[in-house]
Amino acid sequence: MTMFKGIDYYDIESELSQEARLVRDTARAFVEREFLPSIREHYRAGTFPLELVPRMGALGMFGANLSGYGLPAIDNISYGLLMQELERGDSGLRSFASVQGALVMYPILTFGSEAQKQRWLPLLASGRAIGCFGLTEHDHGSDPAGMTTRAVKRGNGYLLSGVKMWITNGAVADLALVWAKLDGEIRGFLVERGTPGFTANEVVGKLSLRASVTAELVLDEAFVPEENLLPDAVGLKSALKCLNQARYGIVWGALGAAMACFDEVLVHSAERMVFGRPLAAFQLTQAKLADMLTEITKGQLLALQLGRLKELGKMRPEQVSLAKRNNVRMALETARTARGILGAVGISDEYQSMRHMCNLESVDTYEGTYEIHTLALGRDLTGIDAIS
Ligand code: TGC
Ligand code: FAD
């Protein structure tokens, strides 16, 4: 098998810095040599390759675009390419890095106390600690403002009660960032593994993101000391700011999944003989390939410009919504088309397109569903809120 080369029809390579190329190539080699050989087994078993976490930390893959506290501080385009390469492997791999960096390290860096930063950022960056982000509840996914998880002041801390659902890394996390209402206001609490009254139950039976740990977090009057409240995270807006960071990573990550599927069927259709000719020789196949290439290229240009805006500090949440909505749905359609081109073998896990397709169903739902991002754009365009 030849090494994956990526898709670059519009010479995006020429726009990339030396650093960006290095980051991408390092991540590509890591995924090819260290991740892909075991993904099939992990996907079947429904497990995440935890043994790779310290290695990913050593390669600077967690919180890579954050600065201070010894963090890598790579630029946002390099960071995007990192997410692209991780998701080329599997959405679960990118999810792990997204949650760790954008949803746990970013809020600690942005809203945390000095002591919280000193303690947790080096541990999370190196992979010696794993984090998770608990916002969603059974009855409050798209509408996190309606959360019922509560914090009550008690002595020199808080008692947290409530249930969070669908939490990536939840059952393997050393640290859970839990969002809860304190006196009616949404706040962020750092809940450590082993806290009495705090348990994580792994979600089983998933048909998507199988190589990712998903859990329910149960808080039954779990005591969290005063110093574990994020001092500057106040209101839903703080949680939504974290989501912007993670959604930005998904914009690029989805491209990686789409590229993996396209690459797979470009090779396959040239080799597969039907009616005595290669599948690639038929016009319908060529039309499918041309459409996939076009959509991936459009998605790359969206991601690149979004990255430039982020670098300039000009990226608006609605611009992230547009790109997350487009690129994930595009990747999902690409994966479905690729699965079809593969025919029957496309349902076997010897091929990757269907794994990506199943994963992308989750990616289309989490971090704001396709519909929620549609409505965010509608609200921005019209000034009329059709969400609630
Ligand atoms: P709304 O009134 O619109 O907003 C409340 C305040 O927040 C501001 N705001 C944002 N700020 C920063 N970034 C954003 N993206 C923002 N969106 C809104 C807004 O301006 C307002 O500010 P202010 O100053 O007026 O107070 O709140 P709403 O209750 O109407 O809800 C809006 C809505 C639906 C868009 C939001 O709640 C939403 O995004 N829902 C989707 C929930 C979601 O994405 N959950 C993700 C959970 S984490 C996850 O899925 C991880 S998956 C693992 C992985 O990443 O791999
Ligand atoms: P709902 O909100 O119940 O939506 C169901 C349907 O209704 C969707 O099609 C939606 O688009 C539509 N809908 C909702 N509101 C409207 C509306 N106003 N108008 C029109 N249609 C609407 N959450 C975390 O906090 N942390 C995590 O780490 C995390 N990881 C996840 C991992 C996986 C694998 C999955 C699947 C989810 C994860 N989530 C996580 C939860 C995820 O963010 C939510 O699933 C998502 O926000 C949607 O919420 P919901 O599932 O409750 O769907």
Side-chain angles (χ1 to χ4, degrees):
M1 219 171 94
T2 52
M3 174 100 168
F4 175 72
K5 291 197 192 67
I7 314 293
D8 191 12
Y9 208 67
Y10 265 36
D11 194 20
I12 284 171
E13 185 81 10
S14 65
E15 301 286 321
L16 303 181
S17 65
Q18 280 294 105
E19 177 181 66
R21 293 176 199 202
L22 181 66
V23 168
R24 180 200 57 199
D25 293 345
T26 305
R28 187 168 289 175
F30 164 78
V31 166
E32 193 87 21
R33 296 184 193 134
E34 301 179 56
F35 177 77
L36 285 178
S38 68
I39 181 58
R40 197 149 59 127
E41 275 27 87
H42 280 292
Y43 209 82
R44 281 185 187 177
T47 51
F48 179 82
L50 282 170
E51 64 279 6
L52 292 180
V53 173
R55 174 84 175 125
M56 292 173 77
L59 288 170
M61 290 178 169
F62 301 136
N65 60 344
L66 305 177
S67 53
Y69 302 87
L71 300 172
I74 63 174
D75 68 90
N76 284 297
I77 299 206
S78 303
Y79 175 77
L81 289 164
L82 168 61
M83 295 296 122
Q84 170 190 293
E85 294 304 317
L86 294 180
E87 196 146 358
R88 200 277 284 194
D90 192 85
S91 300
L93 184 64
R94 197 269 310 137
S95 266
F96 188 98
S98 281
V99 169
Q100 183 91 344
L103 295 181
V104 183
M105 294 170 69
Y106 169 84
I108 292 174
L109 186 68
T110 309
F111 308 118
S113 67
E114 190 53 35
Q116 289 165 350
K117 294 178 201 181
Q118 297 278 359
R119 178 174 174 206
W120 287 107
L121 291 176
L123 288 174
L124 292 160
S126 62
R128 280 174 292 149
I130 296 174
C132 71
F133 178 90
L135 179 66
T136 303
E137 299 179 356
H138 284 274
D139 295 330
H140 300 284
S142 297
D143 171 28
M147 69 174 65
T148 59
T149 301
R150 294 278 183 279
V152 178
K153 188 87 181 89
R154 187 62 52 90
N156 60 348
Y158 306 91
L159 290 179
L160 264 61
S161 298
V163 179
K164 296 290 174 180
M165 187 52 181
W166 301 112
I167 308 306
T168 302
N169 295 347
V172 292
D174 302 286
L175 183 67
L177 166 47
V178 173
W179 298 90
K181 283 183 181 163
L182 174 66
D183 299 327
E185 189 147 52
I186 296 175
R187 305 294 306 263
F189 298 84
L190 299 177
V191 183
E192 298 178 37
R193 185 211 281 272
T195 298
F198 172 50
T199 46
N201 308 311
E202 186 159 356
V203 174
V204 293
K206 286 185 299 170
L207 298 175
S208 172
L209 273 183
R210 289 188 51 73
S212 172
V213 173
T214 313
E216 175 192 58
L217 307 183
V218 180
L219 299 128
D220 181 11
E221 300 209 322
F223 180 77
V224 176
E226 179 80 53
E227 62 266 24
N228 283 17
L229 171 71
L230 290 180
D232 297 330
V234 182
L236 181 62
K237 200 171 183 164
S238 301
L240 293 174
K241 280 185 178 163
C242 307
L243 298 183
N244 290 336
Q245 306 305 312
R247 290 167 179 172
Y248 173 76
I250 291 174
V251 168
W252 287 88
L255 286 170
M259 285 180 188
C261 299
F262 178 79
D263 187 60
E264 180 163 80
V265 290
L266 190 61
V267 173
H268 178 84
S269 61
E271 292 170 352
R272 171 72 175 162
M273 299 297 284
V274 293
F275 296 94
R277 296 161 66 201
L279 181 55
F282 291 85
Q283 290 180 355
L284 285 178
T285 310
Q286 292 190 2
K288 288 175 194 169
L289 293 172
D291 284 346
M292 292 161 99
L293 174 67
T294 306
E295 292 307 317
I296 290 171
T297 303
K298 283 152 71 178
Q300 284 177 304
L301 296 173
L302 269 185
L304 189 65
Q305 179 60 9
L306 190 68
R308 289 177 178 144
L309 291 171
K310 189 166 176 7
E311 273 303 289
L312 295 171
K314 288 181 169 177
M315 182 181 84
R316 297 174 57 230
E318 291 79 7
Q319 291 169 329
V320 184
S321 284
L322 188 153
K324 192 272 184 185
R325 174 180 183 269
N326 182 79
N327 282 15
V328 176
R329 192 52 72 93
M330 175 282 290
L332 184 53
E333 296 297 341
T334 299
R336 285 174 179 158
T337 305
R339 210 296 303 151
I341 291 174
L342 289 167
V345 295
I347 72 151
S348 156
D349 64 8
E350 274 186 48
Y351 290 80
Q352 55 186 331
S353 292
M354 187 154 170
R355 172 167 54 78
H356 282 295
M357 183 188 93
C358 292
N359 285 340
L360 288 160
E361 290 290 345
S362 284
V363 184
D364 199 56
T365 288
Y366 69 34
E367 293 281 4
T369 65
Y370 183 85
E371 290 78 11
I372 287 296
H373 290 298
T374 306
L375 296 172
L377 291 173
R379 181 166 71 179
D380 197 39
L381 285 170
T382 65
I384 303 167
D385 188 345
I387 298 175
S388 52

